[in-house]
Amino acid sequence: MKQFAGKIGLIGGNKKINIIKELMKYPEYQEYLGIEKFNDYISIPEKFACDDIAETEHMVGEQLKTSSSKIFLMGIGHVKSALTHRLTKYANAIFLDVGSSIDALAGIIDIRRPYFGDWTNYQIKNSDIYSGVDYLQYNGEGKHIFLEKI
C-alpha cells in the first residue's frame, strides 16, 4: 500500500469506518498496514442502506465531492450493486470492492474467511466504539493485538 500512500480512501459502514479512524491513530497499527493514513473516510449506514438508494447515493456523493483520493476501497455489502456505478459522478477515482476487508481493517474479521487466516485483528482495549457494530461472522478467534485506549 505504500506506493499508493496519500491516494487511498475507504468507503464502508459508519461504525466500522469510525473504528478504522481510531485505529489509524496508533503508530503500531499504521506500521502493520504499511500506511500512515487513509486519505478519505466515506461512511454509509451500517444497516438498511438499500432501503433508500437515492438517499444513500446523496449521502455518499456529498462526502465524495470533498474527497481527494484516487482509489477507494469499498466494503458496503450488497448496496454496491445499486451504488458503485453512480459514484464516478462525484469523484474521478477508482472504486474497488474489497468486501469483508473493511471488517479486517476494523479488527473484526473472522479468520476462517478466505484469505484472512494469518490476519491480526487490532482492537482498542476497553473502548465503547465497538457497540452496535454489525460483526457479520466475527467470533473473536485468531490473533489479536489490543491497543491501550488513548
Side-chain angles (χ1 to χ4, degrees):
M1 283 214 271
K2 288 180 183 179
Q3 66 197 39
F4 299 108
K7 299 177 186 174
I8 301 173
L10 299 177
I11 303 176
N14 54 2
K15 293 184 183 285
K16 292 172 186 169
I17 290 295
N18 286 338
I19 292 169
I20 296 166
K21 280 185 193 177
E22 289 302 310
L23 285 169
M24 290 304 294
K25 294 177 181 177
Y26 293 84
E28 55 264 58
Y29 186 62
Q30 294 173 7
E31 185 177 323
Y32 179 68
L33 295 183
I35 189 170
E36 289 181 20
K37 67 175 185 152
F38 289 102
N39 213 41
D40 295 291
Y41 297 90
I42 309 294
S43 297
I44 68 165
E46 214 45 44
K47 295 183 178 182
F48 309 114
C50 277
D51 287 1
D52 188 345
I53 291 297
E55 176 57 30
T56 301
E57 176 186 354
H58 175 75
M59 179 188 312
V60 173
E62 288 300 309
Q63 294 174 78
L64 285 172
K65 285 179 184 177
T66 60
S67 70
S68 58
S69 297
K70 296 299 175 196
I71 300 169
F72 283 94
L73 307 178
M74 301 186 322
I76 56 176
H78 62 276
V79 74
K80 70 179 172 234
S81 299
L83 193 61
T84 304
H85 70 282
R86 303 174 188 208
L87 300 180
T88 55
K89 292 191 292 188
Y90 305 99
N92 183 20
I94 296 168
F95 297 91
L96 298 172
D97 176 24
V98 296
S100 62
S101 295
I102 295 295
D103 292 36
L105 291 173
I108 55 171
I109 193 67
D110 179 348
I111 57 130
R112 291 174 295 173
R113 291 186 71 109
Y115 311 110
F116 289 106
D118 196 34
W119 182 261
T120 300
N121 281 314
Y122 278 75
Q123 295 180 352
I124 302 168
K125 191 186 299 186
N126 300 323
S127 177
D128 61 356
I129 198 164
Y130 298 96
S131 66
V133 173
D134 183 0
Y135 285 103
L136 297 175
Q137 300 172 344
Y138 177 68
N139 61 8
E141 292 180 3
K143 292 185 289 186
H144 289 80
I145 292 181
F146 294 99
L147 303 167
E148 292 296 326
K149 191 174 177 181
I150 32 183

